[in-house]
Amino acid sequence: MLSAPEALTEEEQEELRRELTKVEEEIQTLSQVLAAKEKHLAELKRKLGISSLQEFKQNIAKGWQDVTATNAYKKTSETLSQAGQKASAAFSSVGSVITKKLEDVKNSPTFKSFEEKVENLKSKVGGAKPAGGDFGEVLNSTANATSTMTTEPPPEQMTESP
C-alpha cells in the first residue's frame, strides 16, 4: 500500500477502489460457497454414518502412516534398534563375566579350603555321613546339626541318677 494517496491520480485511486470492492465481493462469495460446501459435506457424512470419532481415528491412522514414512522416523527407528541390540549384547557380556568370576571364586584355593573346613565341621557335628552335596546342602545340614546339638543335653548329662 502506498502511504501517500495524493501520489496517485484521481483516476488511479478510483480504479483501485473498484478493484478493492471487487476483491471484497469475491471473498464474501467464496465464504458463502465454502459454508454451503461444508454444510453439504456434513449432510453426506451424516447419511453415510461417518461420525466425528471415526473421522478422528482415520485422521490419526493417516497421520501415523505419514510419520512412519518419513526418513527421520526410519533413521530414528533404525538407530534405536541398533542401540537395543548393543545394550542386549552388553548385558549378556556382563552376565557372562559375572558367571566366570563366580566360577573362579568357587575354584579358588581359599574357597576350597573353606569348603573343606565346613565339610570337616559337618562330619564332626553330624556324625558319619557320606561326604558330598553342594555347598548349600552342607550349610543347611551344619545349621540343623548345630541347632539340634544346642537343644539336647550333652551325653554325660543324660545318665540317670541312682
Side-chain angles (χ1 to χ4, degrees):
M1 290 185 76
L2 298 174
S3 59
E6 48 280 321
L8 297 174
T9 64
E10 234 181 89
E11 192 175 300
E12 290 172 327
Q13 288 179 3
E14 188 60 36
E15 178 65 30
L16 289 176
R17 284 190 194 103
R18 279 192 302 268
E19 188 176 345
L20 177 65
T21 304
K22 182 180 173 187
V23 170
E24 287 174 342
E25 288 172 355
E26 288 174 355
I27 290 173
Q28 186 176 5
T29 302
L30 289 173
S31 294
Q32 291 170 349
V33 170
L34 180 61
K37 294 279 185 185
E38 286 176 339
K39 185 177 179 182
H40 184 63
L41 174 71
E43 182 65 23
L44 290 174
K45 285 182 180 181
R46 186 189 63 77
K47 287 180 179 178
L48 290 171
I50 299 173
S51 69
S52 297
L53 180 59
Q54 288 172 324
E55 207 172 349
F56 179 71
K57 286 179 183 178
Q58 289 173 349
N59 288 342
I60 293 293
K62 175 74 169 104
W64 180 247
Q65 184 180 9
D66 292 347
V67 166
T68 57
T70 63
N71 285 335
Y73 177 85
K74 290 176 183 174
K75 287 179 182 177
T76 302
S77 177
E78 184 179 314
T79 301
L80 290 175
S81 176
Q82 290 173 356
Q85 290 171 354
K86 288 178 182 178
S88 177
F91 287 131
S92 176
S93 176
V94 167
S96 298
V97 168
I98 290 172
T99 301
K100 183 171 180 348
K101 289 293 181 186
L102 289 174
E103 287 174 3
D104 290 348
V105 167
K106 186 177 177 185
N107 295 328
S108 72
T110 305
F111 188 82
K112 296 261 185 215
S113 172
F114 178 71
E115 193 173 30
E116 286 174 15
K117 288 179 182 176
V118 170
E119 285 290 332
N120 288 338
L121 179 63
K122 179 185 173 195
S123 64
K124 288 179 185 174
V125 173
K129 292 187 181 175
D134 69 1
F135 184 65
E137 290 173 359
V138 171
L139 284 178
N140 286 336
S141 63
T142 304
N144 289 339
T146 305
S147 67
T148 330
M149 192 173 103
T150 57
T151 58
E152 295 176 4
E156 56 271 356
Q157 293 179 355
M158 290 177 59
T159 57
E160 294 182 20
S161 310

